[in-house]
Amino acid sequence: MLRCFLRAKIHIATITESNLAYEGSITIDETILKKVGILPYEQVMISNLNNGERFETYVIPGKKDSGEICLNGPTARKGIVGDKVIIFCYSYLDDSHLKGHKPKIVFLNEENRVVRVK
């Protein structure tokens, strides 16, 4: 049996841009993606702490070390610059892979710089 588990989490990122004139997705600084292990075009769920919105989209890598967190296309309606969000990435695991499973979590500061990895 496959079960859905948290695999990676970006804890409290700050939205730096909201771009409605784009076809969709969320752009995330490539450095953050590498630290947490999320791949380009991978599905993520975003929870906006400011307005309670919760939505899914896919990731586009942003410029390395830019601190960029940009809501693109329709997701731009889900938050504004300055909003705080948590970004979750899930995966399906077989029961045989559950023992010892721990998600990778990165904690960001106000400028979207990684301050801790758990």
Side-chain angles (χ1 to χ4, degrees):
M1 173 191 327
L2 294 176
R3 300 173 193 252
C4 188
F5 285 86
L6 179 66
R7 184 180 63 72
K9 176 176 150 182
I10 300 169
H11 191 71
I12 308 189
T14 303
I15 296 174
T16 59
E17 186 180 349
S18 189
N19 183 358
L20 189 58
Y22 192 87
E23 61 188 60
S25 71
I26 184 170
T27 303
I28 302 174
D29 177 331
E30 182 182 5
T31 301
I32 298 169
L33 292 178
K34 286 185 178 183
K35 289 271 187 190
V36 77
I38 296 174
L39 299 175
Y41 307 105
E42 190 165 6
Q43 181 179 344
V44 291
M45 177 179 287
I46 297 106
S47 183
N48 187 322
L49 296 170
N50 293 79
N51 64 19
E53 290 282 355
R54 195 168 174 102
F55 53 96
E56 292 178 344
T57 190
Y58 63 94
V59 172
I60 293 176
K63 184 178 175 188
K64 186 177 180 180
D65 298 323
S66 65
E68 179 178 26
I69 303 288
C70 179
L71 299 180
N72 300 306
T75 65
R77 300 273 190 211
K78 304 291 187 179
I80 60 172
V81 172
D83 280 0
K84 304 295 185 189
V85 295
I86 300 173
I87 302 164
F88 307 93
C89 189
Y90 298 95
S91 67
Y92 289 92
L93 299 176
D94 184 87
D95 287 345
S96 64
H97 293 97
L98 297 180
K99 189 175 183 174
H101 170 73
K102 291 188 179 190
K104 191 164 203 178
I105 302 171
V106 297
F107 297 83
L108 304 182
N109 65 14
E110 293 288 323
E111 292 79 37
N112 292 330
R113 304 288 184 241
V114 176
V115 293
R116 185 165 56 112
V117 178
K118 181 177 169 186

